[in-house]
Amino acid sequence: MHTLGIPFEEQLTPFKGQINYTDFKKFSPTGQVPCLIDGDQIVWESLGITEYLYEKHPTVWPSTREARTWARCAAAEMHAGFNALRNQCPMNCAVRVRMHQIDNALQKDLTRINELWEEGLARFGGPFLAGNAFSAVDAFFAPVVFRLQTYGLPLSPPVQKYVQHILALPSIKQWEQQAIAEPWKEPSHEEEALAAGVVITDFR
């Protein structure tokens, strides 16, 4: 929404532990985020939010049916998968970590990410995954881009170029700067990053 210039007001509610969703339940049916509130309409889950936005803002998905279909499939794959990457490389924009190891499960996820992104970039011409404009599929994979940066994970040259392109977007740079500036730390998330490897840089 930031990148596409869709106006909204952001409400930030910090995590207070992995299973404490009491504060989130006050505004989100599932007790999870993200959640979009548009007047009386409550929209939860990132895929639901994306489709809701697309009905009002067609630039959310690519303009051609071929690119739009590929982008939706790729976003759905991200929404449902890449569990090894999620579990072994928790989201943390503020640190750089040297991994202890890359096991078979994580390597499988990395191989698929390289394969999928290379396909989109080659098929639709880049510099974004589904063509020359940022769309929802890039938004779905933005947390992966941060993970790849944080943990220094191996990438093919086309994928590395894409990662650098996304990290240079003003909205992504703002996201990263705001994350680094957060005054709180959630202990369990910090422990997960330490379990993955050795923290070699902490920008906080």
Side-chain angles (χ1 to χ4, degrees):
M1 294 174 76
H2 271 296
T3 302
L4 296 179
I6 300 172
F8 71 103
E9 295 180 7
E10 183 176 12
Q11 175 182 313
L12 178 62
T13 304
F15 283 96
K16 295 180 180 178
Q18 290 181 308
I19 58 173
N20 181 8
Y21 298 116
T22 302
D23 290 341
F24 294 161
K25 281 291 288 185
K26 294 176 182 177
F27 59 84
S28 172
T30 61
Q32 296 179 328
V33 290
C35 182
L36 176 67
I37 300 173
D38 185 14
D40 295 331
Q41 185 73 60
I42 299 176
V43 192
W44 66 97
E45 283 289 348
S46 51
L47 282 172
I49 292 169
T50 300
E51 293 301 333
Y52 180 81
L53 290 171
Y54 175 67
E55 294 180 1
K56 294 187 174 186
H57 307 276
T59 57
V60 164
W61 288 115
S63 58
T64 69
R65 185 170 65 177
E66 180 186 3
R68 192 163 57 248
T69 299
W70 183 91
R72 280 178 162 143
C73 290
E77 183 177 353
M78 172 59 216
H79 189 263
F82 300 106
N83 291 323
L85 180 67
R86 295 176 193 270
N87 294 332
Q88 297 184 39
C89 303
M91 180 79 165
N92 192 326
C93 301
V95 298
R96 300 293 180 268
V97 176
R98 184 172 61 247
M99 296 284 290
H100 291 313
Q101 66 172 344
I102 297 178
D103 65 16
N104 291 338
L106 179 55
Q107 185 57 59
K108 182 179 178 181
D109 280 358
L110 294 174
T111 298
R112 176 55 184 157
I113 288 168
N114 277 277
E115 176 186 66
L116 180 65
W117 291 6
E118 285 185 11
E119 177 190 358
L121 293 167
R123 185 170 171 182
F124 304 108
F128 296 99
L129 289 178
N132 62 3
F134 182 94
S135 70
V137 67
D138 300 290
F140 269 87
F141 280 106
V144 173
V145 167
F146 278 124
R147 284 175 163 91
L148 296 174
Q149 174 180 250
T150 294
Y151 298 93
L153 299 171
L155 308 171
S156 68
V159 169
Q160 182 62 55
K161 184 177 180 180
Y162 169 74
V163 165
Q164 295 306 313
H165 182 67
I166 294 298
L167 289 171
L169 294 176
S171 57
I172 298 295
K173 292 173 69 174
Q174 180 185 8
W175 180 4
E176 183 177 33
Q177 291 164 0
Q178 290 175 338
I180 293 171
E182 287 180 353
W184 60 84
K185 293 183 180 181
E186 203 289 302
S188 65
H189 285 83
E190 297 293 322
E191 291 168 5
E192 288 173 352
L194 290 173
V198 178
V199 175
I200 56 178
T201 307
D202 190 333
F203 294 105
R204 295 166 297 189

